[in-house]
Amino acid sequence: MEEAVFWIAAVLAAICVGLGKGGVPVITAMSVPLLSLVTSPVAAAGILLPVFVASDVFGLYAYRHSFNRDVLKIMLVALTLGTLIGWLTVDYVSDAAVTLIIGVIGGFYAASLLLKRSLTGPARTPKWGPGLFWGTISGFTSFVSHSGAAPFQIFALPLRMPKMMFAGTVTVAFAYVNALKLIPYYFLGQLNIGNLKTAAFLALPAILAVFAGVRLVRVVPEKLFFQIVVWALLLLSLRLIWSGINGL
């Protein structure tokens, strides 16, 4: 029974990864929290990293012509810094603390989106200060739990990029940071044979979900994405906050 529950959660997490790489907003942030319900956050991160990388290949192809170069210039610097901080501090962060961090960031982000009435309007120019701040946090949380989307989007959403450009910018940025994480994850022992076997099985539903995500971005109203996904992220984040507090 426990094994069946694990695989159900793992497949759902992989689908979240693929949908996110296909451009569905926010939903990738649910992948590690979902898998963290049946295993430790660190183990969940190790299992899902190869799934992220496999999905990135197809996401990059789908959005190869749609991304914001100015945002990426800032993010590539900040994400590298955040990843380095995550690697240097990984031994000092407990599973409970990581769970709590995921929950707090996800909950804050979901609540902030629900309080906003509209994200439409004229485009804004990205600024280095806020970009470095949120991008560094994004790189750190992406390293420890693959939950970098929330702080990244706190910076990117107010820029009011077109829907396809926004999705492509997110996809390119996190394809970079996921590739960057392969080296430290290997030395930390997270890319072991067991994790790679599990990831190989999960890659198929994730890749199929990439194409489903691209299709959804094109045909489904953006407002519907946020209504469904943001509420789901908020409820899941509250559950993880409770688990993290109890584990401290």
Side-chain angles (χ1 to χ4, degrees):
M1 182 62 180
E2 290 183 0
E3 184 176 356
V5 172
F6 170 83
W7 282 109
I8 290 172
V11 170
L12 289 175
I15 291 172
C16 287
V17 171
L19 288 174
K21 296 304 176 182
V24 178
V26 184
I27 199 168
T28 304
M30 296 173 60
S31 58
V32 171
L34 268 172
L35 195 52
S36 295
L37 296 175
V38 294
T39 187
S40 75
V42 174
I47 291 170
L48 288 176
L49 179 57
V51 181
F52 273 85
V53 173
S55 302
D56 282 331
V57 174
F58 296 90
L60 286 172
Y61 177 78
Y63 290 103
R64 62 193 182 280
H65 301 306
S66 302
F67 54 87
N68 187 310
R69 296 180 184 275
D70 292 333
V71 172
L72 289 177
K73 288 177 183 178
I74 299 171
M75 284 295 108
L76 295 186
V77 175
L79 290 170
T80 302
L81 179 59
T83 300
L84 178 60
I85 293 172
W87 188 3
L88 295 175
T89 61
V90 67
D91 291 334
Y92 306 100
V93 181
S94 67
D95 285 358
V98 172
T99 301
L100 185 59
I101 290 170
I102 298 169
V104 169
I105 292 177
F108 172 79
Y109 180 57
S112 69
L113 286 180
L114 292 171
L115 292 172
K116 290 180 181 293
R117 293 185 178 182
S118 176
L119 289 172
T120 60
R124 298 178 180 177
T125 301
K127 297 185 181 299
W128 275 88
L132 288 175
F133 177 77
W134 288 111
T136 300
I137 295 176
S138 179
F140 173 79
T141 57
S142 179
F143 181 86
V144 299
S145 63
H146 301 317
S147 60
F152 180 94
Q153 292 181 8
I154 290 172
F155 167 69
L157 278 171
L159 301 178
R160 295 168 179 168
M161 291 180 277
K163 180 173 63 175
M164 295 299 289
M165 179 180 289
F166 177 84
T169 302
V170 172
T171 298
V172 174
F174 285 100
Y176 167 77
V177 79
N178 289 332
L180 192 64
K181 290 185 291 188
L182 286 172
I183 297 174
Y185 267 57
Y186 172 78
F187 285 108
L188 292 170
Q190 291 299 313
L191 297 180
N192 55 59
I193 296 299
N195 283 353
L196 291 175
K197 287 181 178 179
T198 303
F201 179 84
L202 297 175
L204 179 59
I207 291 169
L208 293 175
V210 172
F211 296 103
V214 173
R215 178 64 177 169
L216 283 171
V217 171
R218 289 175 177 167
V219 303
V220 177
E222 186 172 304
K223 184 177 180 180
L224 183 59
F225 288 154
F226 285 99
Q227 289 176 336
I228 296 173
V229 177
V230 174
W231 276 106
L233 178 59
L234 178 62
L235 294 174
L236 190 56
S237 296
L238 292 174
R239 170 68 175 84
L240 290 169
I241 289 171
W242 177 259
S243 298
I245 291 174
N246 289 336
L248 290 176

